[in-house]
Amino acid sequence: MQNMEQKRMERGPIFIGGTGRSGTTWMRFMLSSHPNICLSRRANLWTDHDGRYGDLARVANLERCLDTLLRSKHIQFLNPDADRIRREFRHGPATYARLFALLHEHYAEQQGKPRWGDQTEMIEALADRILAAYPPAKFIHMLRDPRDCAAAMMERRGRGKGGIGAVAAAWVHSARLAQREHATLSGQLHDCSVRDISPAAGADAAPGLRLPERGLRARHVGDGRYPQISPVDRAGTKPALRGRCIGGFRNVYRAARQPSSNAMPLRRCSLSVMHRNC
């Protein structure tokens, strides 16, 4: 009985969380390269759909839920079989957790892998609910220097909505969640940073985490929906995960501070809730 329980725990789902640009995608790349692990990208099932359609034991609610899910581009990547989902869902508890698990399990089965998981930004905020539904689940909470997170966001999308302030607020919220979860989710929550998975980390890497000796690059395998990683095996191939991801904010901010002839004079800003406007 103990061996059966241990195997069940080892095959529990894996959830990768953290703020945007914190290394969640590369963690998914590395775990997906394992022959037994299939991770989806931002299915957003728990964050966007849990409990939104009423009691799924009622056919009308289930159909409304499935209709919305099957129109989502994130769910379409999982190549769901709606008829199979309906058929199997009838033979068990009519819960959102079970419906979400069926979607993931079917996709993992298509990929020939027994264990499933998902990468969803800030999924750690729902850890209590998810673990109540899937007791064997594991969470990997990615943390990165908030200055590097903001710099990466600026490089990708400019300042974006909310700018650096929004990035900082999300990082603080995520870090506080990590502190809270460590007190209650011992053994099921694992913190990891970009420093831990960067080839430049060397001896500073987290104990027990196996790093490749060479850089990593993304490659598409299988049906091509989700990239996996492989060691760089051709001379001159530029690895996608490099040491510049650690402390690279200095270069980005230095460039952003270059004077412009069109620059507006700066004014003091208040960070209080009552005086948010500059």
Side-chain angles (χ1 to χ4, degrees):
M1 180 66 70
Q2 185 175 1
N3 290 337
M4 292 178 62
E5 178 66 15
Q6 183 178 0
K7 288 181 179 179
R8 187 174 69 86
M9 290 292 288
E10 290 174 351
R11 292 184 58 176
I14 301 169
F15 294 92
I16 303 173
T19 63
R21 318 306 295 171
S22 62
T24 55
T25 296
W26 274 100
M27 177 56 73
R28 173 170 58 84
F29 286 169
M30 283 192 279
L31 292 179
S32 293
S33 68
H34 192 283
N36 293 332
I37 298 175
C38 174
L39 294 176
S40 58
R41 176 180 179 269
R42 297 177 185 171
N44 298 331
L45 289 168
W46 285 90
T47 53
D48 293 355
H49 302 286
D50 183 38
R52 299 288 175 88
Y53 310 94
D55 184 0
L56 296 184
R58 302 181 64 176
V59 175
N61 292 342
L62 175 62
E63 289 302 319
R64 188 158 53 96
C65 178
L66 283 175
D67 179 65
T68 304
L69 291 177
L70 296 175
R71 286 188 283 110
S72 166
K73 64 179 182 179
H74 300 287
I75 304 305
Q76 289 172 5
F77 275 128
L78 304 182
N79 193 29
D81 182 337
D83 291 335
R84 181 184 177 190
I85 292 171
R86 292 186 182 94
R87 186 169 59 252
E88 294 185 8
F89 189 75
R90 287 197 297 265
H91 298 290
T95 64
Y96 286 88
R98 184 161 173 273
L99 177 63
F100 300 161
L102 286 175
L103 286 162
H104 285 296
E105 287 170 1
H106 292 176
Y107 178 70
E109 181 182 295
Q110 294 171 32
Q111 304 303 308
K113 298 185 176 186
R115 190 173 187 181
W116 61 269
D118 184 63
Q119 168 207 340
T120 294
E121 189 173 315
M122 300 298 291
I123 191 69
E124 62 272 17
L126 304 176
D128 292 340
R129 284 157 56 188
I130 293 174
L131 287 172
Y134 313 127
K138 301 289 184 181
F139 279 79
I140 299 177
H141 190 162
M142 297 300 299
L143 292 169
R144 185 183 185 186
D145 188 320
R147 297 167 296 181
D148 280 328
C149 288
M153 195 73 71
M154 289 171 63
E155 283 188 311
R156 184 181 178 94
R157 298 188 299 219
R159 290 190 178 272
K161 186 176 181 179
I164 293 177
V167 176
W171 189 92
V172 169
H173 180 52
S174 181
R176 286 175 175 168
L177 285 172
Q179 289 179 320
R180 185 199 72 179
E181 291 159 356
H182 267 298
T184 59
L185 307 179
S186 177
Q188 290 181 281
L189 174 72
H190 306 276
D191 284 337
C192 185
S193 72
V194 170
R195 182 179 297 276
D196 295 332
I197 62 176
S198 169
D204 294 332
L209 180 63
R210 298 183 59 186
L211 294 175
E213 296 179 358
R214 295 171 287 174
L216 301 173
R217 63 178 176 84
R219 64 180 173 89
H220 289 271
V221 296
D223 61 6
R225 286 189 175 87
Y226 297 110
Q228 292 184 326
I229 58 169
S230 64
V232 172
D233 54 6
R234 294 197 301 270
T237 301
K238 189 176 183 180
L241 191 62
R242 306 181 295 278
R244 68 183 290 273
C245 64
I246 303 171
F249 68 89
R250 296 181 179 87
N251 297 327
V252 176
Y253 296 157
R254 188 179 299 116
R257 285 197 298 265
Q258 294 300 319
S260 169
S261 59
N262 298 322
M264 297 292 291
L266 297 178
R267 292 184 291 158
R268 184 181 299 275
C269 293
S270 172
L271 297 180
S272 70
V273 176
M274 298 300 295
H275 304 88
R276 290 179 293 179
N277 296 325
C278 294

